[in-house]
Amino acid sequence: MHHFSYVGQKLQCEGVELSAIAALHGTPTYVYSAQTIADNYRRLAASLSGLDLRICYAMKANSTLAIVRHFANLGAAFDLVSGGELQRVIAAGGRAQDSVFAGVGKTDAEIRRGLEASVYSFHVESEPELERINHIAGQLGRIAPIAIRINPDVDAQTHAKITTGKSENKFGIPLKFAAEAYAAAAKFPHLRIRGVQMHIGSQLTQVGPFVEAVKKVLPFVLELKRLYGIEYFSVGGGIGIVYQDALASGSAGWWDAKPAGERPLTPEIYGSALKPLLAPLGLRILLEPGRFLVGNAGVLVSRVEYVKRGQGKTFLILDAAMNDLVRPAMYEAYHELVPVVRDTARPALKADIVGPVCESGDCFAKDRVMQEVGEGELVAFMSAGAYGYTMASRYNTRAMPAEVLVSGNRFELVNARESFDSMVAGEKIPGFLQR
Ligand SMILES: *Cc1c(COP(=O)(O)O)cnc(C)c1O
């Protein structure tokens, strides 16, 4: 369930009108609902209650300090993929000691930083990485806790750019070589085998691939418990969200807008399918959800700059662009676009929704049908809380957008729109170009 809905004509986030936020902080601006995040977190945790469960929020989905703090307050740990994300956890008051450090290309400096912060475990993706972590742990006089990411070779049936559990992906170690990798890890004096990890992809909308992957690795997990006394099994993240009709489904409650028999995936379906498989292991279970926790908790508010009527086509030109929200350009992703002020008396408009960036790819949607909106009016992209701001860039020297967090009737700017001065702060004109 999310907390974006029309109250009268006006679209609100919890108790706050989006138009009030835009009036104060301008556009484009990401707006997040604290209550939606809390609901998602608690609902997922409840679906696996009874297990020794630790939710490590995959913060690459949204790593803004206020969001990280909110998760820390809810009791979450973190799944982090860079030294920068580790610094964010620490800066936001999150528990690095309960968090896991993932990623295929950890540098020496990142490994060192992870060890110094006493992360719960490193999720290792190759044998050279085992060697590297062992070496650095030795230098620091520490023992590095590790788990190896195994690649179960299942098809997550999602977009090619976000599937990770097939053998042709760069991620993890294929199941058939995993025993060898663990045997190698066991020989390194500065490593401690703490667990095992997998993650098969993102935006999964069916429970089947999760079940298939868990079933496939279960015998191996038990073998690891027997051989090395591992204490946890991380089943990764990847639970998908609703992008189509996101606004309407949210008011009824997430996937719940569909009749019970047609719901492809809910936390309850996920939990009840996985719990019977995971409970008998007697291990701590880690989840690494990103998108599920924050995706439907954020919108991107934008203003219509121009309505351009071309030959047989209308273009809605927004002040948001692919640099602010890259998912449509990068993954052909769908985001529902809704007017911030609803007016059912207006006719429908069919338009290509585009941004001002000088690229044909700067297109959010083709031939989208929505309520007619005019120059200067506000629109909102739904389900933009995950992989929105974190994937934004400054392409075309466009400032990073602002971010606002709403809680009940309160809202606060949690990340100011970037200024030109901060954009160019690291730049200089070299002496040999001075005149
Ligand atoms: C990206 C990632 C996640 C989170 O994926 P979501 O689809 O956002 O849940 C979890 N674990 C690992 C290892 C990842 O790379």
Side-chain angles (χ1 to χ4, degrees):
M1 162 128 193
H2 66 64
H3 296 273
F4 294 90
S5 61
Y6 288 104
V7 177
Q9 306 285 85
K10 296 192 167 173
L11 186 57
Q12 291 196 357
C13 173
E14 303 189 24
V16 178
E17 291 176 2
L18 291 180
S19 50
I21 294 173
L24 200 59
H25 297 300
T27 53
T29 294
Y30 280 94
V31 178
Y32 308 117
S33 156
Q35 189 61 50
T36 305
I37 292 172
D39 288 353
N40 289 343
Y41 180 84
R42 294 194 182 110
R43 188 171 169 189
L44 185 58
S47 80
L48 286 158
S49 63
L51 294 179
D52 176 6
L53 183 71
R54 179 180 294 176
I55 295 182
C56 295
Y57 164 56
M59 61 186 285
K60 69 177 192 278
N62 188 325
S63 58
T64 301
L65 294 179
I67 301 291
V68 173
R69 168 65 72 91
H70 186 32
F71 276 108
N73 290 352
L74 287 166
F78 300 91
D79 173 71
L80 42 105
V81 292
S82 71
E85 286 191 350
L86 176 55
Q87 285 180 296
R88 281 186 177 275
V89 168
I90 294 165
R95 291 178 61 81
Q97 320 86 276
D98 294 336
S99 300
V100 291
F101 200 144
V104 293
K106 301 175 195 76
T107 65
D108 285 14
E110 288 177 321
I111 294 166
R112 203 168 294 124
R113 207 174 268 165
L115 285 166
E116 282 162 358
S118 301
V119 294
Y120 178 63
S121 190
F122 289 90
H123 287 170
V124 178
E125 305 230 13
S126 66
E127 299 204 25
E129 188 190 334
L130 285 173
E131 209 171 301
R132 179 96 68 103
I133 295 175
N134 176 68
H135 180 71
I136 296 169
Q139 286 178 334
L140 295 180
R142 288 185 180 248
I143 301 292
I146 61 115
I148 292 176
R149 176 170 179 177
I150 53 177
N151 186 329
D153 193 22
V154 300
D155 186 354
Q157 292 163 16
T158 179
H159 191 281
K161 283 187 185 159
I162 48 179
T163 188
T164 59
K166 287 288 288 171
S167 53
E168 64 257 35
N169 298 126
K170 70 178 174 185
F171 299 103
I173 291 181
L175 193 50
K176 63 173 184 257
F177 301 126
E180 250 172 79
Y182 269 94
K187 293 203 181 83
F188 286 113
H190 307 293
L191 299 184
R192 170 185 164 206
I193 295 172
R194 191 164 218 171
V196 58
Q197 198 267 350
M198 69 171 190
H199 171 70
I200 59 173
S202 198
Q203 184 54 16
L204 275 73
T205 53
Q206 304 284 333
V207 78
F210 288 117
V211 171
E212 190 193 336
V214 168
K215 280 188 174 158
K216 210 162 162 184
V217 305
L218 273 186
F220 183 64
V221 174
L222 285 168
E223 180 74 358
L224 292 175
K225 189 181 177 195
R226 193 178 61 79
L227 286 174
Y228 307 112
I230 60 167
E231 74 186 31
Y232 78 92
F233 175 23
S234 171
V235 298
I239 305 171
I241 63 164
V242 170
Y243 284 101
Q244 211 91 26
D245 294 326
L247 184 60
S249 71
S251 53
W254 204 54
W255 295 105
D256 308 346
K258 290 186 190 286
E262 292 173 25
R263 287 173 206 161
L265 188 60
T266 63
E268 292 74 24
I269 289 171
Y270 180 84
S272 58
L274 293 190
K275 214 193 309 195
L277 300 173
L278 298 174
L281 291 172
L283 292 172
R284 170 174 290 164
I285 300 300
L286 266 57
L287 292 190
E288 302 164 359
R291 187 190 314 269
F292 169 76
L293 295 175
V294 291
N296 72 350
V299 299
L300 174 62
V301 181
S302 174
R303 197 175 288 279
V304 177
E305 286 291 350
Y306 297 97
V307 181
K308 176 176 171 179
R309 302 201 188 265
Q311 280 179 338
K313 233 192 197 339
T314 298
F315 294 94
L316 209 58
I317 305 174
L318 307 181
D319 69 355
M322 63 189 289
N323 72 293
D324 302 297
L325 177 65
V326 78
R327 298 188 65 261
M330 189 160 168
Y331 307 120
E332 296 143 28
Y334 178 97
H335 281 275
E336 186 180 10
L337 186 66
V338 297
V340 166
V341 179
R342 183 169 61 173
D343 180 356
T344 46
R346 289 198 199 176
L349 168 81
K350 185 174 174 185
D352 282 12
I353 317 294
V354 302
V357 161
C358 305
E359 295 260 355
S360 311
D362 185 24
C363 179
F364 293 109
K366 287 212 184 312
D367 295 326
R368 182 66 66 85
V369 178
M370 64 178 293
Q371 172 201 302
E372 190 175 79
V373 282
E375 215 176 286
E377 293 184 324
L378 296 167
V379 290
F381 288 100
M382 301 302 298
S383 303
Y387 306 103
Y389 188 89
T390 50
M391 292 180 95
S393 75
R394 299 176 182 81
Y395 189 39
N396 278 212
T397 303
R398 291 168 51 80
M400 292 288 280
E403 295 177 287
V404 167
L405 183 62
V406 174
S407 179
N409 296 320
R410 293 173 301 176
F411 67 97
E412 208 162 309
L413 184 68
V414 294
N415 194 2
R417 188 176 311 286
E418 194 176 29
S419 67
F420 177 76
D421 286 349
S422 81
M423 236 191 296
V424 298
E427 299 182 34
K428 67 180 272 203
I429 312 266
F432 54 79
L433 290 181
Q434 301 292 351
R435 35 160 217 251

